[in-house]
Amino acid sequence: MSGVSHFLEHMAFKGNDQYSPEDINRIFDEIGAQYNAYTSQERTVYYGAVLPERLPALLDLLSLMMRPVLRQVDFDVEKKVILEEIAMYEDRPHFRVFDLSGERYWQGHPLGNSILGSTDSITALTKDQMEAYLHERYSPGNLTVVAAGNYDWDAVVAQVEKDSTAWQERRVERSRPAADPLTGRDGRIDANLSRTHVAIYAPGIGMDDPRRYAAGVLADAIGDSGGSRLYWELVDKGLADNASLDHESSEDQGLFSGYISAAPGRAEAVIDRFMTVLRTVQDEGVTAEEWRRAQRKLATGLTLRAETPLGRLSSLGTTFQATGEYLSVDEVVSRVLGAQLSTGLELLAERPFDRTYVYTLGPDAV
């Protein structure tokens, strides 16, 4: 079943007995929508942005898409599309290195599952399996409607109730086991590559932990794409094309996620320098000025993204679905700017970078 969530996302655009795939796309265009969908490790999101007077039509269409009729002919055609997409990402090593390493790092935990699935799992998937998954997962209690911008709250609630009144509620369960991440070193050789790509993992903070804001600031100070410790040590000196560190929070787990792209001949030296930066920060901490700079950059990015309703929509929905909290932009920015350096130092005192997992993908063994 690996990849079924993403496959079903595609099938939702194929319509039902009332609308064909062409009808779905035509209606989106007629109401002037900017629209798309994506699937991540923990959710599938369908979204659209329209002028206020077109919102009722957008809600009707998105609601209709939650109840697609899975025609065999559409299923067979879209399976070929998904297999092509898997092949396309195989040619993108900066994505591939994380797909390969994530499965290894999480050691059977659901967060290590491939979003796209594999050629084997998608080839074997049947329409009946997808229909069972649709009826189970697209249950009202497992769906969240999120709106941002200029709209009438009561009118939206009334319309959503009307559009979903016939939907059958089903009990939805999800496996949320404890994680036992892998440590050490691993990799794969691909003689067709001209660069070495490296994924680096260390334990982080989950969505339910208020320290996640400090973890985000800490990761930015260490590994933002410009002006961070890793940038000055590796990218500015021309030793690596990319050297970054992010913090990702999921619904029970979190991780620091690093990435390197470098010439094969210097990859080992670059990895050593990357790890030296992590160990130095872990032993000595970051400075108050580094902390303030990272806070300001994150706060600016959050504020600018929220300047448009569509920019606000994603973070609002993800946080609410994961934590049940509604957080205004001002409150999120306040939490970032209020994250204490002392909290970051406490996270470093737990020595997450002593438990790293490094995975290399390149033309030579590293």
Side-chain angles (χ1 to χ4, degrees):
M1 295 285 285
S2 178
V4 65
S5 299
H6 172 255
F7 195 159
L8 180 54
E9 172 210 317
H10 282 229
M11 292 299 296
F13 285 87
K14 298 300 181 181
N16 56 19
D17 291 334
Q18 180 181 356
Y19 291 121
S20 68
E22 293 75 17
D23 291 330
I24 297 288
N25 291 324
R26 174 181 53 78
I27 295 171
F28 271 124
D29 289 341
E30 286 178 347
I31 63 177
Q34 297 179 21
Y35 68 97
N36 212 328
Y38 67 87
T39 298
S40 64
Q41 278 86 353
E42 295 187 307
R43 59 188 51 81
T44 297
V45 179
Y46 303 87
Y47 63 91
V50 292
L51 296 176
E53 58 269 24
R54 302 298 184 189
L55 179 58
L58 177 63
L59 281 172
D60 281 341
L61 185 57
L62 290 174
S63 298
L64 178 147
M65 290 172 59
M66 298 302 98
R67 290 297 178 267
V69 172
L70 305 180
R71 306 179 186 91
Q72 186 68 52
V73 62
D74 291 332
F75 182 86
D76 294 339
V77 169
E78 205 60 30
K79 177 177 285 194
K80 297 176 183 177
V81 174
I82 300 296
L83 291 172
E84 284 295 320
E85 189 171 354
I86 292 172
M88 178 186 71
Y89 277 98
E90 283 286 311
D91 290 332
R92 297 182 178 181
H94 53 297
F95 288 106
R96 187 175 163 211
V97 68
F98 283 101
D99 209 40
L100 292 170
S101 59
E103 181 180 8
R104 296 274 294 141
Y105 174 73
W106 288 109
Q107 297 198 98
H109 189 279
L111 284 172
N113 294 343
S114 171
I115 294 171
L116 293 178
S118 66
T119 298
D120 290 341
S121 69
I122 295 300
T123 299
L125 188 68
T126 67
K127 184 175 76 71
D128 289 343
Q129 287 177 308
M130 181 177 285
E131 283 182 336
Y133 184 85
L134 168 66
H135 293 312
E136 175 192 355
R137 293 290 163 175
Y138 282 51
S139 173
N142 204 39
L143 293 168
T144 303
V145 181
V146 185
N150 180 12
Y151 66 93
D152 183 302
W153 170 262
D154 292 332
V156 168
V157 171
Q159 183 176 351
V160 171
E161 289 178 343
K162 174 181 69 67
D163 286 343
S164 62
T165 186
W167 294 0
Q168 183 178 356
E169 179 66 61
R170 298 175 186 270
R171 183 179 180 184
V172 180
E173 296 181 350
R174 188 167 112 197
S175 174
R176 300 174 73 159
D180 181 25
L182 186 64
T183 60
R185 186 80 175 263
D186 201 355
R188 177 176 293 191
I189 296 175
D190 185 339
N192 294 318
L193 297 178
S194 61
R195 312 297 288 173
T196 296
H197 302 263
V198 186
I200 299 172
Y201 300 88
I205 302 298
M207 285 286 289
D208 58 345
D209 192 324
R211 298 179 300 165
R212 70 181 187 273
Y213 297 99
V217 175
L218 180 62
D220 195 89
I222 299 171
D224 180 56
S225 58
S228 65
R229 290 278 186 105
L230 289 171
Y231 173 82
W232 293 117
E233 179 64 24
L234 295 171
V235 180
D236 182 67
K237 294 178 180 178
L239 301 176
D241 309 316
N242 295 280
S244 62
L245 185 74
D246 296 307
H247 182 267
E248 304 171 16
S249 291
S250 300
E251 284 184 22
D252 286 316
Q253 314 293 333
L255 78 159
F256 291 96
S257 173
Y259 172 67
I260 299 170
S261 171
R266 61 166 63 115
E268 186 62 52
V270 169
I271 294 171
D272 287 344
R273 288 203 181 198
F274 191 106
M275 300 305 295
T276 296
V277 169
L278 297 186
R279 287 191 294 267
T280 300
V281 169
Q282 186 170 257
D283 292 338
E284 301 175 3
V286 296
T287 67
E289 182 54 34
E290 286 177 310
W291 189 262
R292 286 193 294 270
R293 284 202 302 265
Q295 286 178 308
R296 291 166 188 154
K297 284 190 290 184
L298 290 172
T300 299
L302 289 166
T303 303
L304 291 176
R305 185 174 65 183
E307 286 291 304
T308 65
L310 189 57
R312 171 75 177 123
L313 190 69
S314 178
S315 58
L316 168 64
T318 299
T319 301
F320 182 82
Q321 192 176 52
T323 67
E325 284 187 298
Y326 168 81
L327 298 177
S328 68
V329 176
D330 287 345
E331 188 167 4
V332 175
V333 170
S334 177
R335 292 189 182 190
V336 170
L337 293 177
Q340 298 296 310
L341 173 57
S342 59
T343 305
L345 298 179
E346 289 172 5
L347 294 175
L348 291 173
E350 296 176 5
R351 306 196 66 80
F353 303 127
D354 287 350
R355 293 166 282 163
T356 55
Y357 174 64
V358 179
Y359 189 97
T360 60
L361 175 65
D364 305 310
V366 178

